Structures are given as C-alpha cells and as structure tokens.
Amino acid sequence: MKKRVLSILSALVLVLSPITEVFASESYVKLEFTSKGNEVSKLQQELKKLGYYNISIDGIFGIVTENAVINFQKDNKLIIDGIAGKQTQNALYNKSTTVSRGTSTLRSSSRNYSDEDLLWLARIIEAEASGESYEGKVAVGNVILNRVDSKEFPNTIYGVIFEYYKNIPQFSPVAEGTIYNKPSEESIKAAKDALNGVRPVGNSTYFFNPSKSAGTWIVKNKTYVTKIGGHSFYN
C-alpha cells in the first residue's frame, strides 16, 4: 500500500511539474516605455546594481530606464529593443550582483541624464537641425554635450542651451522661440544616440551655418573639425 501511494505521488509530481513551469514562465510582466509600478521599480533596482541605471528609483519606465535596458541588452548580446521582456528579465535577474558592468556606449558613467535632459536636447536638435541629415542632428547633440562636459560652459543641457553672452543667447532658437517646438521622433532618437556616446564631430564645441552666418569669431579663434550638411563644426 505504501509503495502504491508513493507511485501515485510521483506520478502527480510528473504531471504537475510542467504546469508549474508554464505558470512560472508566464508570471513575468513585459515592461516597456510608459509602464509603471512595482515591477518597474524592481527592474530599475536590478539595473542600478549592475551600473546601468543611476538615478532615483521611481517605478516609471521613462527614457532613462529605456536607455538602461538598451545598454544592458547590448552588453549581453540580447535583442536590442528597449523592452524588458522575458529574455531580458531572465538575463537581468540571473546576473550575480557581483558582476561588474562591461564596456558600454555611455559617454560618461559619472554624469546622469534625466528625461527632461533628453527633451531639451531633442528640442535644440530639432530647432537647429530639423532640415539636416540624421548624422547632422546627432552632431548638434554632440556639441551640446561637449559643452556640458567643458569648464567653459554651464554644466547642464538646459544651462548650455539658455546661456547668454552680453545679453545675446548662444543659440538663435532661444531668441526666436523655436526652442519650444515639439521635437520630431528623429530628433528624439538623435538625442538618445548623442547621450549614449555617438560623437560624429568628436570634441567640437561650436557650429554654425556658413550660408546664414559668417561665424567670424569662431573661424578666427577655433579649430575647424568638419562639415556635415549645412553646418561647419569647430573646437
């Protein structure tokens, strides 16, 4: 009788195991841009442990979280879509907390950027380079971030954009009001790439359009780097 009970229990275990595995595999929640809640907080916490997420945990899947997921996916050879699906979550939660982050495309691990930073960067890109190629758009973002990193300029994206010299704004869209226009999807993408370290114009901190301005002071005092579309870049 005892052997028979054990046999029945063993059979039940075999039958129920696959069912348990199915429920376990389906228990995850797909997290993506605009997702909110405890699952997002948990995701941010794990990303933070590994050095991918460096701002406060708020449970909101915004641009910063999306970029963190993308960089984790890049480093771990996963599908790069910015969505924390089953594959990404399994890889993330199975990572040991002692694993250090590998090389990534972030421009600086010591500087953290927010969704607001992304918005302003996308706005200045849209205002200055809406008619330029994608590379030209990223190049403008590249210049803004170089200024942020330079001791010669304000140390925030907003500060750089709204800097004045002798009561004149450094960027004409500020004077014209076009800085407040809604950025296109391409400008937002270009801003993301610039924040993630894409630098088509290297250390350039100045640019101007020769067809609209002589750029006399820049030409005389700075070193020419390259020309992309209608903009000439200097350092």
Side-chain angles (χ1 to χ4, degrees), residues 180-217:
Y180 299 104
N181 291 349
K182 182 180 178 180
S184 66
E185 288 299 319
E186 187 169 74
S187 291
I188 293 172
K189 185 174 184 295
K192 287 182 181 181
D193 276 346
L195 288 169
N196 283 330
V198 180
R199 309 176 75 233
V201 291
N203 295 321
S204 298
T205 48
Y206 293 86
F207 70 90
F208 70 95
N209 188 327
S211 67
K212 298 179 180 180
S213 171
T216 305
W217 184 87

Side-chain angles (χ1 to χ4, degrees), residues 29-75:
V29 177
K30 184 174 78 169
L31 303 173
E32 57 190 331
F33 192 72
T34 72
S35 293
K36 297 178 181 179
N38 293 333
E39 290 299 321
V40 176
S41 296
K42 180 183 176 183
L43 177 75
Q44 291 171 335
Q45 185 174 8
E46 292 303 311
L47 288 167
K48 194 165 190 173
K49 286 180 183 177
L50 298 175
Y52 290 92
Y53 184 85
N54 297 304
I55 64 174
S56 60
I57 294 170
D58 58 9
I60 301 172
F61 200 121
I63 296 298
V64 176
T65 303
E66 184 181 60
N67 283 339
V69 170
I70 287 172
N71 285 316
F72 176 79
Q73 290 171 334
K74 286 179 180 178
D75 288 350

